[in-house]
Amino acid sequence: INAKMISLLCLLLALVGTQNAQAWGIPAAFQSRTSLAASQTTALNTASSVNPFHTAQTTAASIDSELATKLEAVVLRYFQGVDEKNATMIRSCFGSLATIRDVCSLTNEENAVVKAKQVDATILVERCMDFVTAHPDVTVRFHVPPTCLRNALASSSSTTDSSKEEFWVFAHWYEVGTWSGLSCGLEPTQEPMNVEGQTRFRVCPETFTIQELVVTRTFTAWEKAFLLAQQQEQS
C-alpha cells in the first residue's frame, strides 16, 4: 500500500468510522495501518505545537543592512583596538558601563548559574591593556568576523516597541602571541599564547556603543597566573 492510498484511507476512516468501514469491505489490515498512520500524524502535529524547534519564527523586523554594518563596525573597532593595543580606541566602543557575562570565567563555581555583572568601562579598558601588556605581540584573528544577525532579536519577539529591541553582533575570534611582557607584577615566561572564544555583543543602535557582552572562551597562562595572584592577596 502506498502513502497516497494510506492518506485516502485515513480520510475515509475518519468520515465513515471503523464499523462502517468494515461494512464497506475495507480489510482490517488496512484499517489498522491507516489508524496507525493517522495517530502518528496527530502525534507529530501535537509535538509541533509544543516544540519550539518546529515552530520557532521571529516576528521582529529584519535589520536594515546599513544599520547592521554600523553595528558590526563597532565590534570590529573593539577588536582592532586590542590588536593595535590602543586604549583610546577600545574605550570609544563603550558607554560609561558595560554588562558582562563570562560563561567560562575562572572564578565561576562549578555547575553554578553564571550571573552578569556591570563593569565600569574604564576598568574594562584597563584589564584589556593589562592583557596586551603581557602579550605585546598579540594578534587578533577571526573564524567568524563580527556579524550582526539580520533578523532583529527583540527582548520580547512579539513587541512592536523598537525601544525594547536588542541588536546583537556575534564573533568567533582567536588570538595568538607570546607571554613576553611584564604585566601586573607577573614575570614573562616567553610561553606561546593561543586562545579563542565566541562573544555576543549587544550594541545600542542609537549611541553605537557596546552595552553587553556574553563571552565563552579559553584563557592564557598569564590570566591564570593573574587570578592565582589575586586569590593569594585576598587570602
Side-chain angles (χ1 to χ4, degrees), residues 63-82 89-90 92-94 142 145-150 167-171 201-205 207-210:
I63 297 177
D64 178 78
S65 294
E66 183 178 354
L67 172 59
T69 299
K70 290 181 179 179
L71 298 173
E72 292 166 352
V74 175
V75 175
L76 189 61
R77 187 170 74 250
Y78 163 75
F79 282 112
Q80 183 180 353
V82 175
M89 184 179 293
I90 297 172
S92 71
C93 300
F94 296 90
F142 297 102
T147 304
C148 183
L149 297 178
R150 270 10 188 211
F167 298 90
W168 291 86
V169 176
F170 168 84
F201 300 82
R202 180 165 61 85
V203 183
C204 175
T207 62
F208 292 101
T209 56
I210 297 170

Side-chain angles (χ1 to χ4, degrees), residues 151-231:
N151 287 327
L153 298 180
S155 54
S156 173
S157 60
S158 60
T159 184
T160 57
D161 184 356
S162 61
S163 66
K164 294 183 179 180
E165 287 182 330
E166 296 181 351
F167 298 90
W168 291 86
V169 176
F170 168 84
H172 184 180
W173 51 268
Y174 65 99
E175 297 170 334
V176 295
T178 311
W179 180 5
S180 57
L182 175 65
S183 181
C184 299
L186 298 173
E187 292 290 340
T189 63
Q190 308 304 319
E191 182 177 346
M193 180 269 286
N194 192 332
V195 292
E196 71 172 288
Q198 299 182 47
T199 306
R200 287 191 298 123
F201 300 82
R202 180 165 61 85
V203 183
C204 175
E206 297 174 354
T207 62
F208 292 101
T209 56
I210 297 170
Q211 305 291 304
E212 184 175 355
L213 304 89
V214 181
V215 189
T216 304
R217 53 163 301 191
T218 57
F219 296 89
T220 70
W222 175 83
E223 288 173 303
K224 295 175 183 178
F226 176 68
L227 175 62
L228 179 60
Q230 284 186 316
Q231 292 173 337

Side-chain angles (χ1 to χ4, degrees), residues 79-90 128-129 132-133 135-140:
F79 282 112
Q80 183 180 353
V82 175
D83 192 68
E84 297 180 2
K85 296 80 179 172
N86 188 326
T88 302
M89 184 179 293
I90 297 172
C128 286
M129 296 312 295
V132 299
T133 299
H135 313 94
D137 61 344
V138 64
T139 301
V140 182

